[in-house]
């Protein structure tokens, strides 16, 4: 069964389950979901224009991000997969930080070393994303075990997709967390298609939730397009984690409206009509209907916010695009406290090569040696 609080018309179907979130918080939920949507549209198009190398949108899954993030404490540690930008946005990661990372410029906290959308923030307790599927899962179990030993009252949340759940790392993570009683929330975004594999080919059992009981974990399946339902289950899961030192598995049933990434063409494995059907029941529209019924939102506010949010993204986009790339010597740093001789030799060789062949490289786009 799927836990649901609000129907597609924005009406509370289970009055007793209404989280009674105040107007200010609900407006932040909506603005973050729609701002993420605006950023996705612009950065997706920028990749298509060749201005950035790669991008992944979050269309259709916004409620899984904001609903869960709003139920956590700011100091809880997050291990993401690669489609959880809304969690960072909720915590205060700015548009400048998002877009600087995608451009890999001098203001990117990752110093241009990561692919676009591989965000991270030590200040916001969000572990930097890595591309290989499910590697974050056993790491999350280990971090949660450390939290348990420290008795610090915090929990860990680990996001992953139903495709990643087919990896061996998922088994290891579930089993370690269960047997060591670790305060970790395993949050599965079941969006139907993994990278390109439909769930009918991904597993034969009853989704991902059915695996929880086999590991001895408390488990719930939730409507991932219902932001309030996601908020409720994550809030309860966190309480179980920190009060009882037990892992919890949440399976959020949602739908990936966009392509898997800019390297994907989802029309090759699903019908256009299917996408249109789910797009009309997206989580943003559902929350907007709720807000309108409460008298908290109207068409004028909607149009004004659309223009404002687009302007905000475009301003950050313009600034990020003008910034230079980090100096190439950054490739050799931050591995050792002091650069060892063999790396120093390679760095000196690179400098010499670039200085002799400046006409063959776009060195004007990079931070100069003198600035470094």
């Amino acid at each position: 069964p799927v836990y649901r609080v609000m129907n597609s018309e924005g009406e509370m179907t289970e009055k007793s389950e209404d989280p009674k979130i105040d107007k200010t918080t609900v407006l932040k939920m909506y603005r973050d979901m729609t701002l993420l949507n605006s950023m996705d549209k612009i950065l997706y198009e920028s990749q298509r224009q060749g201005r950035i190398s790669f991008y992944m949108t979050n269309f259709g899954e916004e409620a899984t991000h904001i609903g869960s993030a709003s139920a956590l404490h700011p100091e809880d540690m997050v291990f993401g997969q690669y489609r959880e930008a809304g969690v960072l946005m909720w915590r205060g990661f700015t548009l400048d930080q998002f877009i600087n990372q995608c451009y890999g410029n001098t203001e990117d906290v990752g110093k241009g070393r990561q692919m676009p959308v591989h965000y991270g923030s030590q200040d916001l307790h969000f572990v930097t994303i890595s591309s290989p599927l499910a590697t974050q899962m056993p790491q999350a179990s280990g971090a949660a075990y450390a939290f348990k030993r420290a008795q610090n009252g915090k929990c860990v949340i680990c996001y992953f997709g139903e495709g990643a759940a087919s990896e061996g790392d998922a088994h290891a993570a579930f089993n370690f967390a269960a047997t060591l009683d670790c305060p970790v929330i395993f949050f599965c975004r079941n969006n139907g298609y993994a990278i390109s594999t439909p769930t009918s080919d991904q597993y034969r059992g009853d989704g991902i939730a059915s695996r929880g009981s086999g590991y001895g974990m408390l488990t719930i399946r939730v409507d991932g397009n219902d932001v309030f339902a996601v908020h409720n289950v994550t809030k309860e899961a966190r309480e179980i984690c920190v009060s009882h030192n037990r892992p919890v598995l949440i399976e959020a049933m949602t739908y990936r409206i966009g392509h898997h990434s800019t390297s994907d063409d989802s029309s090759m494995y699903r019908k256009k009509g299917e996408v249109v059907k789910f797009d009309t029941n997206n989580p943003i529209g559902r929350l907007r209907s709720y807000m309108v019924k409460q008298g908290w939102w109207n068409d004028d506010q909607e149009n004004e916010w659309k223009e404002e949010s687009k302007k905000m993204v475009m301003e950050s986009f313009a600034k990020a695009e003008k910034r230079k790339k980090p100096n190439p010597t950054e490739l050799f740093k931050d591995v050792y406290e002091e650069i060892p001789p063999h790396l120093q030799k390679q760095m000196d060789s690179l400098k010499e090569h670039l200085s002799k062949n400046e006409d063959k490289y776009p060195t004007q786009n990079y931070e100069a040696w003198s600035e470094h």
Side-chain angles (χ1 to χ4, degrees), residues 197-250:
T197 306
T199 53
S200 57
D201 294 332
Q202 189 70 245
Y203 49 72
R204 286 291 178 267
D206 181 17
I208 307 305
S210 63
R211 303 178 193 182
S213 58
Y215 290 100
M217 286 192 290
L218 294 173
T219 306
I220 190 166
R221 177 176 284 149
V222 63
D223 181 349
N225 290 351
D226 178 350
V227 68
F228 296 135
V230 174
H231 175 90
N232 283 353
V233 299
T234 308
K235 183 178 180 180
E236 182 65 20
R238 187 190 186 278
E239 177 62 26
I240 291 168
C241 283
V242 299
S243 298
H244 305 288
N245 279 323
R246 292 191 63 183
V248 179
L249 173 61
I250 297 171

Side-chain angles (χ1 to χ4, degrees), residues 118-134:
H118 288 52
Y119 312 113
S121 173
Q122 187 172 4
D123 293 340
L124 300 177
H125 308 285
F126 191 103
V127 178
T128 302
I129 292 165
S130 55
S131 288
L133 284 179

Side-chain angles (χ1 to χ4, degrees), residues 89-121:
M89 186 170 281
W90 178 267
R91 289 193 169 193
F93 207 66
T94 66
L95 288 172
D96 283 348
Q97 288 175 307
F98 279 116
I99 301 175
N100 285 335
Q101 195 283 326
C102 288
Y103 268 93
N105 61 33
T106 52
E107 295 299 312
D108 170 21
V109 294
K111 301 184 180 180
R113 295 169 179 153
Q114 279 274 26
M115 287 175 64
V117 308
H118 288 52
Y119 312 113
S121 173

Side-chain angles (χ1 to χ4, degrees), residues 321-361:
E321 194 167 44
K322 290 176 183 176
R323 293 187 175 112
K324 291 185 176 183
K325 305 293 185 186
N327 189 284
T329 57
E330 290 294 343
L331 286 167
F332 302 93
K333 299 179 181 179
D334 297 329
V335 177
Y336 299 94
E337 185 175 1
E338 294 182 13
I339 298 178
H342 71 283
L343 284 185
Q344 185 66 50
K345 184 178 179 181
Q346 291 178 39
M347 185 165 71
D348 292 342
S349 176
L350 174 65
K351 286 182 179 181
E352 182 182 359
H353 175 77
L354 290 176
S355 58
K356 287 180 178 178
N357 299 277
E358 281 192 46
D359 59 322
K360 296 181 175 63
Y361 296 96

Side-chain angles (χ1 to χ4, degrees), residues 65-84:
H65 304 187
I66 303 302
S68 58
S70 61
L72 298 169
H73 288 201
E75 66 276 8
D76 291 335
M77 185 170 283
V78 179
F79 285 81
Q81 185 162 298
Y82 42 55
R83 209 186 303 276
E84 290 86 23

